[in-house]
Amino acid sequence: MTFIQGFQSLYLHIPFCKTKCTYCAFNAYANMDTLVNDFVDALVREVEIVGRSRPGQQLHTIYFGGGTPSLLSPGQFERLLSTIHALFNVKSGSEISLEANPNDLDAPYLTALRQLGFNRLSIGMQSAHQNELRLFARRHDNDAVARAVSAARRAGFANLNLDLIYGFPHQTMTTWKASLVQMMALQPDHVSLYALGVEEGTPLERWIARGELPEPDDDLAADMYDLATDILGQGGFEQYEISNWAKPGYECRHNLQYWRNLPYPGVGPGAHGWAGGVRYSTILAPQKYIQALKSSVGDYVYPRTPATVEALEVDRPGEIVDTLLMGLRLTREGIQRAAFRERFGEDVVTLYPALMNRFSAQGLLRIDADTVRLTTEGRLLSNMIFRELV
Amino acid sequence: MSQEHIRNFSIIAHIDHGKSTLADRMLQLTQTVSDREMHAQLLDSMDLERERGVTIKASAVRMKYLAKDGQLYVLNLIDTPGHVDFSYEVSRALQACEGAILVVDASQGVEAQTLANLYLALEQDLELLPVINKIDLPAARPKDIAKELEDLLGVSADGMIPISAKQGTGIQDVLEAIIKQVPPPKGDANAPLRALVFDSHYDSYKGVIAYVRVFEGRLQKRDILRLIATDAKFEPVEIGVFSPDMRAVNTLEVGEVGYIATGFKTVRECRVGDTITLATNGASEPLPGYKQVKSMVFAGFYPTNNDDYPDLRDALEKLQLNDASLIYEPETSQALNFGFRVGFLGLFHMEIVQERLEREYDLDILATAPSVEYQVVKTNGELVTIDSPAQLPDESVISEIREPWMKIQIYTPQEFIGPIMDLAIKKHAEYETTEYLDTQRVILHYRIPLSEVIVDFFDRLKSASKGYASLDYQFDGYRTGDLVKLDILVNNEPVDALAIIVHRDDAYHKGQKLISKLKDLIPRQQFVVPIQAATGKRVISRANVKALRKDVLAKCYGGDITRKKKLLEKQKKGKKRMKMIGSVEVPQEAFMALLSLDDD
């Protein structure tokens, strides 16, 4: 285990949604509104256990993900954030992000969020077409995204991300291009484009299995990716991760923490965390999560909390693999050879001489004096590399 | 022990009809093995056998039984392998017996597969004891089954013994019947020694252990011995009996069954079917029926990972210690690098060897499609023998190609004659005759090219007969055939390991089928991969495997790398059985694709 000092990133998982999207396999639940208050109490307690275990721990990013975190009220956020501020050393200028459904983002709510210290919003746009949004069972329409973006700007949000999905059934190059163009017109600072993964247990998977929807076409998805790369590039965005683009200086610092394989405590049901040499995950079901944090009185020392279900000590080889799998996703930064040497005492290229040679000869990796990173071709074929590393 | 008190017998049964359980019960009842020592199915000691429910190698156990007549008997149970590939070994094991128990499942009845071994037993003139097993099952119909057996064997249903090997009922009746009905061995105790080798295995301390039945004379522990067929002389390390562990004795008398630790290093030096006699003043004539079994099916075995070549060689060497019918020699393939050409008795034998290499020796191997041995007459009159399509000389110097033909007997209920005849026509078989066993069952006699049998004949026969038909075969002879080599080119390079020899009439059809299969089997690579089938210079069929464009995980949910790694590991396992040919990954299935060209 390599002990890494310095700033950490706190992830809070909010598992509630008003409606569940048809592609979604995340730990998120609709129709559990009645649990929200108890849940916030439980989450506050879990944050306290983490904070008390590591007095004075510095944080530089806080990220509320979900689910739909924008279902929480400003008051609930205030409780959570004041607990965080009381127990952690939150660096000034920290990135505090919220994932949001555009329908939830009205002016008063946005103003309240700003006052609480939120400075980044990630808005789920997904598509600019009504029929595509309906396929996903998104509860917003396209206008809601435009309204939310302009309201967020007026409220003072200087860092906005928009998500789009591509490569799904019945999507065409034409509709994809229109989604991209409309998204660009909204002038986000950061863009995430996710290829649809057909996840087990989702309605989308069932529909495809029953033949009611065509299977996603990987070749078409690859063309869509190439088109997006062009359009975003022309619009002044720089790609910095396989699925992420940003205007210079607007890279998501919280996600960079993951990709650099640096520690992040994760709290809330179904959260994942990586801290103190341990990778762990927490209880999935909100009800059980609430119960676990209510009933327990024992002395928990993070990275174990009453909500922990799996905890895996990561040894040095494991940490090296994780660092490569995550780091190579960073298309611009890649693996910084000097930083890697400092962390693990070995050069990444001499550690995997045969693989590095092969992937560089195959045109998937570019290796130069300072960095190892994916080539343009390697971005969409990165699993060919990652499979050999695990 | 006098000959009068010896009984040598074996058990014939269809898979799952309870042979091993019955054997276990006999061992318990005779206290050969204590209940505590008993582990299920003692006779089938290899894991693989247990899983497949078939006995691959025979073994022999000696039991002492105090019969109801108050006398002590020695019962030798000789186990037999249960597959047509090993029919020669079965015949030698049966030759060592005077009787056979025919075990039939009380709910299933006689299955066609049992018939081949049953007929081998009748050929050896064995006394048959029909036993109806699993009478405890709710679906048991012992009366109907007995009637069925009566019709089939012409023996009275009254004498058939109902048992439940699982519950241990009726076992003593079986033992008593053996005493009463199986004749004791006959043989001249004063004649020169003649002992039949009916099986063997390799023991790392004592060398090759020959399983023997003394037919004439007497075997003593200090005798210098001679194998008649190979004319090899040796001094045994030890002689003994299996009870069931090896127990040394001073003599094996006429009629007895036991073992000789020969000190030989491989089972090939002491072949099944050979006769052992004394080195001086021994018998001059061997016991009847010896033949050297010949490999009929050949395939290339290559390590998936080239570095494993020495391990594969060592593993084959070890398997060969115990398997006289396994032959191999080094082979080099342009596509697959270094490997071995391995000869087998049949497809089943090949599967067993492949599985043992993978399981017991933890090797990932890639097997090429099986081939037969062809004789090629060149234009200069020279005759060459080849067992791999890659060895076929250039078309311009070939005058003719001869291929091995088999005589086959298909045992089937009559209702499936139609579909089986259709299959036979497709496979270029020549009809000989139909033999009626009874009102329901027939034996269809055909001659057929062996190459057609080894491809998918057995599976197709099973599906044409709803699983009822079974097959027995013998080598018939070589015949000239209109044969051509079908080359497969992957990424414009001929892949020697994918080439096959086919009948000219089938070349076009098989080429097209093969390409359309390969197109789906070869995973997409970073670039477009053309694949072609060709005879000589003529391309019969071609298709492209499209380039791979997207192989990526879009998102790591909340930094969850654990799940992502599991997914990647799973995918990696799937890739393990791929072989790089040039820069193209080709899966094992591609090499076996031609085994299922006629699926639809």
Side-chain angles (χ1 to χ4, degrees):
Chain A
M1 185 202 86
T2 321
F3 186 73
I4 301 153
Q5 284 188 314
F7 292 108
Q8 296 200 346
S9 294
L10 180 64
Y11 176 79
L12 301 99
H13 190 75
I14 314 296
F16 304 109
C17 287
K18 270 195 181 149
T19 55
K20 186 128 194 215
C21 304
T22 54
Y23 52 79
C24 177
F26 292 165
N27 191 43
Y29 306 84
N31 305 316
M32 283 201 188
D33 307 358
T34 52
L35 290 182
V36 176
N37 272 326
D38 288 347
F39 162 76
V40 173
D41 291 344
L43 191 58
V44 164
R45 259 193 304 280
E46 199 188 4
V47 170
E48 284 170 352
I49 291 169
V50 178
R52 292 210 179 102
S53 303
R54 336 198 108 204
Q57 173 64 54
Q58 294 168 307
L59 294 180
H60 68 142
T61 73
I62 300 169
Y63 192 102
F64 289 87
T68 313
S70 55
L71 291 179
L72 293 198
S73 67
Q76 287 164 331
F77 280 124
E78 192 187 355
R79 285 192 59 204
L80 287 163
L81 284 166
S82 61
T83 310
I84 295 167
H85 281 287
L87 292 166
F88 291 87
N89 179 3
V90 182
K91 188 188 171 193
S92 83
S94 282
E95 177 189 276
I96 306 181
S97 293
L98 179 74
E99 287 181 354
N101 186 292
N103 274 6
D104 301 333
L105 299 178
D106 58 23
Y109 188 65
L110 285 161
T111 308
L113 291 177
R114 277 295 295 144
Q115 281 166 358
L116 288 167
F118 282 99
N119 51 26
R120 183 176 186 274
L121 291 177
S122 176
I123 301 173
M125 175 175 172
Q126 316 313 3
S127 160
H129 303 280
Q130 202 49 48
N131 56 341
E132 293 177 356
L133 292 171
R134 263 201 303 272
L135 173 71
F136 294 150
R138 297 289 297 177
R139 62 184 158 97
H140 60 87
D141 59 20
N142 197 35
D143 289 344
V145 179
R147 280 196 303 274
V149 168
S150 79
R153 293 296 189 200
R154 278 198 302 276
F157 279 94
N159 188 349
L160 293 183
N161 169 61
L162 293 176
D163 280 353
L164 287 180
I165 298 179
Y166 67 97
F168 51 83
H170 294 315
Q171 191 189 23
T172 65
M173 281 302 261
T174 316
T175 65
W176 173 234
K177 190 173 179 183
S179 286
L180 284 167
V181 168
Q182 290 200 40
M183 181 199 68
M184 294 291 278
L186 297 174
Q187 298 185 301
D189 310 289
H190 187 284
V191 171
S192 301
L193 307 179
Y194 296 118
L196 178 82
V198 181
E199 301 288 340
E200 233 174 277
T202 58
L204 212 60
E205 187 221 13
R206 278 197 301 281
W207 297 337
I208 291 171
R210 290 203 296 248
E212 292 163 9
L213 282 178
E215 286 207 37
D217 175 348
D218 279 352
D219 291 342
L220 182 61
D223 288 339
M224 289 177 172
Y225 186 81
D226 290 347
L227 176 74
T229 305
D230 287 348
I231 291 179
L232 289 170
Q234 285 157 19
F237 283 87
E238 285 186 27
Q239 182 172 16
Y240 71 104
E241 197 263 353
I242 290 175
S243 306
N244 287 279
W245 284 256
K247 290 272 175 70
Y250 285 88
E251 295 82 3
C252 178
R253 277 144 60 193
H254 184 84
N255 284 337
L256 280 171
Q257 188 87 358
Y258 299 158
W259 294 321
R260 288 172 180 155
N261 198 25
L262 296 173
Y264 61 94
V267 292
H272 292 262
W274 158 234
V278 175
R279 272 193 190 282
Y280 65 87
S281 61
T282 58
I283 298 172
L284 290 171
Q287 193 108 46
K288 286 189 186 149
Y289 171 83
I290 292 166
Q291 214 53 45
L293 279 145
K294 213 177 255 174
S295 55
S296 63
V297 278
D299 294 328
Y300 283 92
V301 178
Y302 183 78
R304 279 178 194 281
T305 80
T308 313
V309 281
E310 270 187 290
L312 183 76
E313 294 253 1
V314 180
D315 57 8
R316 182 172 169 277
E319 189 174 332
I320 289 177
V321 170
D322 292 355
T323 303
L324 291 175
L325 255 51
M326 293 304 238
L328 284 172
R329 296 187 67 93
L330 291 170
T331 51
R332 199 170 52 193
E333 180 176 312
I335 299 292
Q336 295 289 314
R337 293 175 73 170
F340 187 93
R341 254 196 315 273
E342 197 174 315
R343 184 165 173 181
F344 297 109
E346 267 177 281
D347 181 70
V348 62
V349 179
T350 50
L351 201 56
Y352 296 96
L355 285 182
M356 292 289 164
N357 254 331
R358 186 172 123 203
F359 292 127
S360 132
Q362 277 178 251
L364 295 173
L365 275 187
R366 205 173 78 207
I367 301 169
D368 45 37
D370 301 325
T371 56
V372 177
R373 58 199 144 156
L374 298 174
T375 60
T376 308
E377 191 182 3
R379 286 169 199 183
L380 272 192
L381 296 175
S382 47
N383 279 356
M384 290 178 72
I385 300 170
F386 297 159
R387 262 196 296 276
E388 297 302 318
L389 293 172
V390 295
Chain B
M1 185 68 56
S2 76
Q3 285 191 69
E4 279 307 308
H5 291 91
I6 298 173
R7 300 292 183 273
N8 298 319
F9 69 100
S10 72
I11 306 177
I12 295 172
H14 184 70
I15 293 168
D16 287 339
H17 281 198
K19 175 165 87 170
S20 301
T21 320
L22 174 59
D24 289 350
R25 291 290 168 264
M26 289 181 172
L27 295 177
Q28 279 175 302
L29 196 81
T30 57
Q31 292 175 347
T32 312
V33 176
S34 74
D35 294 355
R36 196 174 50 80
E37 291 165 334
M38 190 79 209
H39 57 282
Q41 305 203 357
L42 190 81
L43 285 182
D44 295 349
S45 56
M46 283 190 274
D47 281 354
L48 204 58
E49 290 184 15
R50 238 176 259 180
E51 264 173 52
R52 292 188 162 225
V54 292
T55 313
I56 299 157
K57 295 290 287 181
S59 70
V61 185
R62 173 185 167 119
M63 299 176 271
K64 282 187 182 154
Y65 176 61
L66 185 62
K68 285 184 178 160
D69 63 10
Q71 304 198 46
L72 189 66
Y73 290 86
V74 164
L75 307 181
N76 291 306
L77 166 57
I78 294 169
D79 202 12
T80 56
H83 192 275
V84 56
D85 281 358
F86 303 104
S87 63
Y88 175 68
E89 282 162 317
V90 176
S91 74
R92 292 315 88 192
L94 294 177
Q95 192 184 343
C97 302
E98 279 77 29
I101 299 173
L102 174 68
V103 179
V104 177
D105 184 308
S107 62
Q108 312 274 331
V110 183
E111 307 238 6
Q113 279 183 358
T114 320
L115 288 174
N117 282 352
L118 180 62
Y119 281 87
L120 284 173
L122 291 175
E123 245 170 60
Q124 300 285 347
D125 241 350
L126 301 193
E127 181 66 32
L128 278 180
L129 299 183
V131 162
I132 297 170
N133 190 21
K134 304 196 189 180
I135 51 163
D136 55 310
L137 290 185
R141 312 174 277 121
K143 288 224 172 69
D144 299 349
I145 304 297
K147 181 76 179 63
E148 205 178 292
L149 277 171
E150 190 178 272
D151 289 350
L152 185 69
L153 301 172
V155 293
S156 159
D158 300 335
M160 296 175 194
I161 308 164
I163 66 164
S164 164
K166 195 171 140 211
Q167 299 185 337
T169 49
I171 309 302
Q172 193 164 17
D173 299 340
V174 177
L175 292 174
E176 288 295 323
I178 292 169
I179 304 293
K180 290 203 186 75
Q181 293 174 42
V182 174
K186 295 182 198 72
D188 184 353
N190 298 313
L193 171 71
R194 286 208 293 178
L196 172 75
V197 180
F198 63 85
D199 194 11
S200 62
H201 82 261
Y202 178 77
D203 179 289
S204 45
Y205 297 107
K206 295 171 184 167
V208 172
I209 309 292
Y211 294 50
V212 295
R213 153 78 195 268
V214 180
F215 274 86
E216 281 172 347
R218 159 189 289 185
L219 174 59
Q220 284 176 302
K221 101 176 159 184
R222 304 228 176 270
D223 288 339
I224 310 283
L225 304 176
R226 181 171 81 95
L227 283 153
I228 295 182
T230 54
D231 197 27
K233 293 189 179 64
F234 67 98
E235 189 179 352
V237 180
E238 178 182 305
I239 64 173
V241 293
F242 298 96
S243 63
D245 299 321
M246 284 163 61
R247 195 164 56 76
V249 297
N250 290 325
T251 53
L252 284 176
E253 301 286 349
V254 65
E256 285 197 297
V257 170
Y259 68 84
I260 303 173
T262 61
F264 288 127
K265 290 284 176 291
T266 75
V267 288
R268 309 165 71 71
E269 295 168 86
C270 176
R271 289 184 174 275
V272 169
D274 204 347
T275 302
I276 291 176
T277 187
L278 298 173
T280 46
N281 298 324
S284 49
E285 282 298 305
L287 292 161
Y290 175 73
K291 68 177 181 189
Q292 191 166 337
V293 289
K294 211 172 157 302
S295 302
M296 302 301 280
V297 172
F298 300 82
F301 275 15
Y302 291 84
T304 313
N305 178 352
N306 293 330
D307 300 341
D308 291 341
Y309 177 80
D311 295 339
L312 175 58
R313 187 189 53 216
D314 293 349
L316 282 169
E317 229 168 68
K318 284 194 187 124
L319 285 184
Q320 201 183 41
L321 289 178
N322 251 328
D323 186 347
S325 46
L326 178 72
I327 59 162
Y328 63 90
E329 55 187 39
E331 179 183 68
T332 316
S333 151
Q334 286 161 354
L336 306 175
N337 297 322
F338 296 105
F340 295 92
R341 196 76 192 162
V342 190
F344 308 94
L345 296 175
L347 265 195
F348 180 76
H349 186 207
M350 172 172 161
E351 272 172 40
I352 301 258
V353 171
Q354 188 174 356
E355 274 194 53
R356 292 189 64 185
L357 288 172
E358 291 184 347
R359 280 204 218 177
E360 292 168 34
Y361 296 91
D362 198 23
L363 289 164
D364 267 313
I365 58 168
L366 194 147
T368 63
S371 167
V372 300
E373 196 168 71
Y374 294 93
Q375 294 178 343
V376 181
V377 184
K378 292 171 63 171
T379 42
N380 63 6
E382 191 192 342
L383 180 87
V384 288
T385 312
I386 62 158
D387 56 34
S388 154
Q391 299 161 352
L392 195 71
D394 191 80
E395 230 181 341
S396 61
V397 301
I398 296 177
S399 149
E400 66 174 62
I401 305 176
R402 300 174 190 155
E403 64 173 331
W405 279 62
M406 308 300 284
K407 282 188 281 203
I408 59 171
Q409 299 85 44
I410 300 167
Y411 302 77
T412 178
Q414 302 203 66
E415 58 198 287
F416 303 114
I417 292 179
I420 290 172
M421 286 194 159
D422 287 345
L423 171 64
I425 290 166
K426 269 194 205 129
K427 296 290 186 182
H428 304 279
E430 288 172 1
Y431 175 76
E432 299 271 310
T433 171
T434 303
E435 193 182 325
Y436 283 82
L437 286 171
D438 54 49
T439 52
Q440 315 273 273
R441 282 157 216 280
V442 300
I443 306 178
L444 300 169
H445 293 262
Y446 278 96
R447 287 168 204 265
I448 185 171
L450 176 60
S451 63
E452 300 287 355
V453 180
I454 65 169
V455 171
D456 59 352
F457 190 78
F458 193 67
D459 288 342
R460 308 243 303 157
L461 180 63
K462 285 283 159 202
S463 70
S465 66
K466 302 205 167 105
Y468 279 104
S470 70
L471 177 71
D472 199 9
Y473 55 75
Q474 305 83 36
F475 178 65
D476 187 30
Y478 271 88
R479 285 202 215 172
T480 302
D482 192 6
L483 301 166
V484 289
K485 185 164 112 183
L486 187 66
D487 284 309
I488 302 296
L489 292 81
V490 174
N491 211 17
N492 301 313
E493 293 292 327
V495 178
D496 51 7
L498 282 174
I500 49 174
I501 292 174
V502 296
H503 292 103
R504 193 182 301 276
D505 297 346
D506 292 340
Y508 184 76
H509 162 76
K510 288 198 168 160
Q512 292 227 316
K513 273 273 165 88
L514 197 50
I515 291 302
S516 88
K517 287 224 165 203
L518 290 175
K519 186 172 139 268
D520 295 335
L521 284 170
I522 294 177
R524 294 168 69 174
Q525 317 280 321
Q526 255 177 285
F527 40 86
V528 176
V529 179
I531 45 176
Q532 292 152 285
T535 53
K537 296 262 179 292
R538 196 167 69 97
V539 173
I540 288 171
S541 174
R542 68 166 290 152
N544 283 335
V545 180
K546 283 201 283 181
L548 176 69
R549 304 260 330 265
K550 178 170 166 279
D551 184 4
V552 68
L553 288 176
K555 190 176 185 178
C556 258
Y557 162 58
D560 176 14
I561 195 169
T562 320
R563 182 166 159 264
K564 182 181 160 80
K565 273 159 79 181
K566 274 188 198 142
L567 199 71
L568 289 166
E569 274 161 17
K570 202 171 135 200
Q571 293 175 348
K572 187 180 188 173
K573 268 197 194 137
K575 294 234 170 225
K576 226 178 150 191
R577 287 176 72 97
M578 304 259 193
K579 188 86 190 175
M580 290 299 285
I581 294 188
S583 47
V584 180
E585 282 171 319
V586 179
Q588 160 81 57
E589 291 74 27
F591 295 91
M592 302 306 275
L594 82 157
L595 287 183
S596 49
L597 286 185
D598 301 315
D599 269 359
D600 25 60

